[in-house]
Amino acid sequence: ISVVPGAYDAETAIREQLGWCTVLAVPRSLVKDPARLWCKDATIILLDCVPADGCDSARVNTVGFDQARGIASDVEHLASMGHRNIAYFGGVRGDPVYDLREQGFRAAMSDACLPIRSEWIFHCGPEHPSETAAAAFEQAIKLARCQLSGAVCASDEIALGVVASLRSLRREVPDDLSVTGYGGSEPACSGGAFLTTVEHRGQTLGDALAQFVQPDPDIVRSTPARVILPAELVVRDSTAPRSGH
């Protein structure tokens, strides 16, 4: 679906597709008003909508990965290797996805009885996040009251910015700092990037969407489906046990 800026809104463009399809999956980021999408003759699925804020009254289905649980697995992985002083490099405040990931980080740190210090929490801008992450990392080094040993990043791009900054200081990953990302992007696992990250498996999403195309005849839904999919931690070479652990 292509939306021409200034011509009409995404909801109108999406509804124009409903004349020829019975199941339509749409990224939540395109839709401002889910209620305008409902159609009795079609199944509408909003993607990456966890939690389903504003969607219950709209009578549309939602499918998304568990962002908070995904980032929590990063924290648990670092904690299992003895890391206690862990910084967080998040995305833009107010973005629903990044907000969920930060909530997951804080909850996991609290569950592991690890310190959450304001000087170790950073938010990277929407433009050139890897560059802002590098600047934030340099600030983290200056402000840290004790040595950081781990960094949880809200995206792979942010994580790669932290890695680049660390190397510019003639320090290495994971010897001097264990770094995790989120997203499973191609740059994170190619060209020697070796980033431990959290992935959203396309197969998992495809299997979930297939249930709407070929639904189980024994399941009769009276309310929209709310499907939360698991994110998967993929451990690579950017994390290691804390020195001396």
Side-chain angles (χ1 to χ4, degrees):
I1 299 172
S2 61
V3 180
V4 179
Y8 50 15
D9 55 34
E11 288 85 347
T12 300
I14 292 166
R15 286 189 63 83
E16 288 179 357
Q17 313 301 313
L18 299 180
W20 57 270
C21 66
T22 57
V23 179
L24 185 62
V26 185
R28 178 66 176 89
S29 58
L30 285 180
V31 180
K32 293 181 179 179
D33 183 6
R36 292 182 57 197
L37 295 181
W38 182 80
C39 176
K40 66 182 181 66
D41 297 321
T43 298
I44 308 297
I45 309 162
L46 292 184
L47 303 177
D48 280 338
C49 196
V50 178
D53 293 336
C55 297
D56 289 329
S57 61
R59 293 180 290 179
V60 295
N61 305 285
T62 61
V63 176
F65 288 88
D66 194 335
Q67 309 282 342
R69 182 73 207 115
I71 210 78
S73 65
D74 275 340
V75 175
E76 293 165 357
H77 171 61
L78 292 177
S80 71
M81 295 188 293
H83 295 280
R84 287 189 51 81
N85 300 329
I86 302 172
Y88 180 72
F89 295 84
V92 183
R93 277 179 168 155
D95 180 291
V97 169
Y98 283 130
D99 286 350
L100 283 170
R101 292 178 187 176
E102 183 169 341
Q103 290 171 20
F105 171 80
R106 291 179 178 275
M109 291 287 284
S110 179
D111 290 344
C113 299
L114 298 178
I116 303 173
R117 297 197 169 105
S118 59
E119 66 267 28
W120 293 351
I121 304 291
F122 299 90
H123 298 92
C124 303
E127 297 182 4
H128 311 295
S130 62
E131 295 177 12
T132 55
F137 176 72
E138 293 179 10
Q139 184 180 1
I141 294 297
K142 294 177 182 178
L143 294 178
R145 289 176 287 178
C146 50
Q147 185 175 0
L148 292 172
S149 66
V152 171
C153 302
S155 74
D156 289 342
E157 189 172 4
I158 291 172
L160 294 177
V162 170
V163 171
S165 180
L166 190 73
R167 288 174 174 170
S168 72
L169 299 173
R170 300 184 182 278
R171 301 166 78 174
E172 289 298 328
V173 173
D175 296 343
D176 297 299
L177 187 78
S178 285
V179 179
T180 68
Y182 197 112
S185 62
E186 184 175 347
C189 54
S190 62
F194 63 87
L195 189 66
T196 292
T197 187
V198 174
E199 292 186 352
H200 294 170
R201 295 288 189 183
Q203 182 66 50
T204 303
L205 177 60
D207 290 344
L209 294 177
Q211 298 302 312
F212 292 94
V213 178
Q214 295 180 318
D216 187 331
D218 295 328
I219 299 177
V220 179
R221 297 189 185 279
S222 59
T223 58
R226 301 285 177 254
V227 182
I228 302 177
L229 305 174
E232 181 178 341
L233 177 69
V234 179
V235 178
R236 298 193 181 96
D237 297 330
S238 67
T239 54
R242 179 176 59 85
S243 178
H245 180 65

